[in-house]
Amino acid sequence: MISRCFVSRYALGQPINVNDAAHMKIIYDADADILQISFTQRAVEETTQIAPGLVLDYDEDGQVVGIELRKASQRVSDPYKIDYSVGQASLDKPQPRVGEQH
C-alpha cells in the first residue's frame, strides 16, 4: 500500500507541472478530495472534463498526460489505498465506441 498526500496545485487553480517527476505519479489531495494520476513528466497545458468529475490533462502537443477524479472518496472505496501490479490488462469489459462521447 502506498499512501501519500500532496497539495494539489490544480485544485488551487494553478497548472500542474510534473517536470520534477520521471515516472507515473498518483496524488490524493484529501482536502480537495481529488485523485490525480500523472502519466508523464510533461507539463499540463489544457484540461477537459469528459464526464462529471472526470478530467483529462493534455500537454502542449495534445497528448493525454494525466487524469483527475474529483470527489474521489465518493467514487473509490479507499483513496488512500493503491494496489499496483504488472501483468495482463483486463480486457473482459465493453470496449469504447470510437467517435462517440458520453
Side-chain angles (χ1 to χ4, degrees):
M1 179 175 97
I2 300 170
S3 176
R4 288 190 175 172
C5 183
F6 296 89
V7 174
S8 171
R9 290 180 283 176
Y10 184 80
L12 299 173
Q14 300 173 5
I16 300 170
N17 184 340
V18 291
N19 286 329
D20 57 343
H23 52 277
M24 187 168 62
K25 186 185 284 187
I26 300 172
I27 301 168
Y28 176 61
D29 181 336
D31 293 332
D33 198 16
I34 294 174
L35 179 68
Q36 295 174 329
I37 303 173
S38 299
F39 304 128
T40 72
Q41 60 188 15
R42 304 229 11 176
V44 174
E45 296 294 328
E46 185 178 334
T47 63
T48 301
Q49 181 169 277
I50 60 169
L54 185 61
V55 178
L56 291 182
D57 298 326
Y58 301 91
D59 66 10
E60 65 183 346
D61 297 324
Q63 299 297 311
V64 174
V65 295
I67 189 167
E68 174 177 292
L69 181 63
R70 297 180 180 186
K71 297 182 181 178
S73 65
Q74 297 174 17
R75 298 167 179 255
V76 296
S77 58
D78 185 352
Y80 291 99
K81 194 173 194 177
I82 299 168
D83 292 325
Y84 177 83
S85 60
V86 176
Q88 282 190 307
S90 173
L91 299 177
D92 296 331
K93 60 182 180 181
Q95 295 302 302
R97 291 176 248 162
V98 178
E100 290 186 29
Q101 291 192 0
H102 296 254

